[in-house]
Amino acid sequence: MADDEIDLPRLFGLLLDHKWLIIGVTLLFALGGIVYAQLQTPIYQGDALVQVERRSTVSPLGGLSDVMGEGSESTTAAEVQILQSRMVLGQVVDRVGLDTVVRPRMLPFVGEFLNRRGIQRPDFMEGKPWVWAGERLEVGRLAVADHLRGTPLILRALEGERFQVLLKNAEGEQPLGEGEVGQLASFRNGDITLRIAELIAAPGAEFTLLKRSHPAAIGNIKGRLSVSEVGGGRGSSTGMLSLRLIGSDREEIRRSLNAVAETFLTQNVERQSAQAEQSLEFLREQAPELRTQLSQAENALNEYRVEMDSVDLSSESQATIQQFIALEQQINELEFQEAELAQRFTPNHPSYQTLLRKKRQLQQERAELNERVNELPAAQQEVVRLTRDMEVTQAIYVNVLNKIQELEVARAGTVGNVRIIDEALVGGAPIAPRKSLIVIVATLAGALLAVGLVLLRGLLRRGVESPEQIEEAGLPVYATVPLSDEQHKLVRRVKHKRDPHASEIATAVLAERAPADNAVEAMRGLRTSLHFAMLEADDNRLVITGSSPSVGKSFVSVNLAAVCAQAGQRVLVVDADMRKGHIHNAFGGHSKQGLSELLSGKLGLEEVIRHSGTEGLDYLARGESPPNPSELLMHARFSEFLATVSQQYDLVIIDTPPVLAVTDAAVVGRQCGTTLMVARFQQNPLKEIQIATRRLETAGVTVKGAILNAMERKASTYYGYGYYNYSYK
């Protein structure tokens, strides 16, 4: 299989092999999600419902809405913006006191949870600053100078009903003084004025007081408030507005939401009343001028009648005057409306243009009527004009007085066009955190993390997992040795001074302790394979080596020697790892008086060879660690030693250091007829084995084959490459 291919069956097997790890990590994350969800502060939501009714703009002449059409109505979108404006929310902040914040000092992480569960202060927490369930603080008044807004104050409960106030800044906590509950106290030359309405807390309990700036308090409630229209479709509006406010304090939500609705209602009434007041001021300014004009018109008509000795009007003249009165009233109304429109729109506005066209039409009719009057006799013309001026002015004056009375009545009974349908109601269950969702997400995150780590580790650690992998690289596999549980019982961990990691050392020979173990059976199979393989060799020497440490070279050497001795052969095991060899531990011996002393000439062959507990099995320990192991192995004494023991024993097994670590294996291998490479299951990558083999071949050593050690029956191996190992008992 190519290195860049993804082996899906093997990955599936990896997940099965590590199922308990995945389950454990998933459960751990699920537990963490449960704890996190429980510790989160519950967030509640309150809602209220208000109605904005359709209304017309109050006009001094009552006809403006007909001219403007829908433009006179306050749209729902505008009311939504008003609800969220600083004008409304600023009054809410002042009414509810949202610029004053009181935070009890609680235990880190779990304090709020314990308080919500009603757990009161235990005896061993006496004198501690943490606030527990049943302890509270109510501020009656808190006023601070502008430069102290946003600066935290620490209030510490004392004995009785007294308290201490401290100022918290960058330099630490600065004591300001003490006060008593119910009394107004002043600190820092009057910059801070405080009255505590109620304080129920153990001595030492601390609360943080904060006076927010007005914009910050408005921004806080605006961020928690949402306004939306209920019902309605495209192009239609119901005028029903739903107000929603979220927060952690249910009582604060209720009070704040009611304050928003009531403030919105109040300002709406004030807007309506203010509009009527503006119209009244406009009419009251016009009334005196109209009264003066009426008096002047009456005087002029009387004087002319006296001068002309009374002139009677014909029926045609009377009809003309009535037409003049009607036209002038309409023109005058339009002028009033134009004055009001001029304050709100430019002359290019469609409503303004409609009014101007109507006004020009009436002025044209008045001009035509004037031409008809000019056709009358001179005396009749003057009487008509004077009578027209008087009656028109009188009609307008009477109309203005009537509208003043109507607006005064309307102003007195102004109720606005906003109604509170539903007062604030706060739900009993929190809307956040969504505990079930948090637990589900945490569980999924744990499962994904565990699966990801297992798969990543499996993809990065591509140690050999089957004999086929090694054989595809051109190296025959003489045996696959399964991992032995019994061997683990014979192993102890030892850490050398120069070794940063501890190593596992066998304290007994598995072939003697558990001869029926599967690993020992594999050694017997290896013995059979070697019997035929070594027939072609020049000598009876066998080198056991590996590419890296901790692959099981010593385990294979000792147990192979034991099964060969049990078959009637005379076997010698030589520990050629004079740096960290530990074969002597398996036989219950010591490392001194071994190979290093023999090669250095300090001891003879008979003095260093030791007998094991198995008949026909002898061993040679490594001896004292020399400074130059490679040079000793290259000495002529080592060749003489090998020649001698080859004649005395049927099989000589030499355990050497790792190939890629030192050159000792290459030095020993050149003088031995058979060399085997030990690879450990899922530890040694195939590339590493190939490099070690090439290094030996470069030194003139031919590697006969390999031994796959510590083979495990894993799902990844079964699904990926197949696993064939059976016990027969």
Side-chain angles (χ1 to χ4, degrees), residues 478 523-540 542 560 564 569 650-651 673-674 676 704:
Y478 278 67
M523 291 297 175
R524 295 189 179 100
L526 176 61
R527 177 186 64 188
T528 304
S529 300
L530 284 176
H531 174 73
F532 296 101
M534 295 184 70
L535 290 177
E536 302 175 358
D538 298 332
D539 51 47
N540 60 350
L542 173 63
L560 177 60
C564 290
Q569 293 181 288
D650 299 324
L651 178 63
T674 306
L676 294 181
K704 289 285 188 179

Side-chain angles (χ1 to χ4, degrees), residues 173-190:
E173 296 180 355
Q174 175 187 354
L176 299 181
E178 297 183 3
E180 189 172 349
V181 175
Q183 296 184 3
L184 188 65
S186 179
F187 306 97
R188 205 171 183 181
N189 299 323

Side-chain angles (χ1 to χ4, degrees), residues 35 44 69 101 140 157 161 187 194 269 273 313 319 346 349 354 483 500 531 553 692 710:
V35 173
Y44 298 91
V101 180
E161 291 191 340
F187 306 97
L194 175 64
V269 173
S273 178
L313 294 175
T346 64
H349 192 274
T354 301
L483 183 66
H531 174 73
K553 303 184 308 297

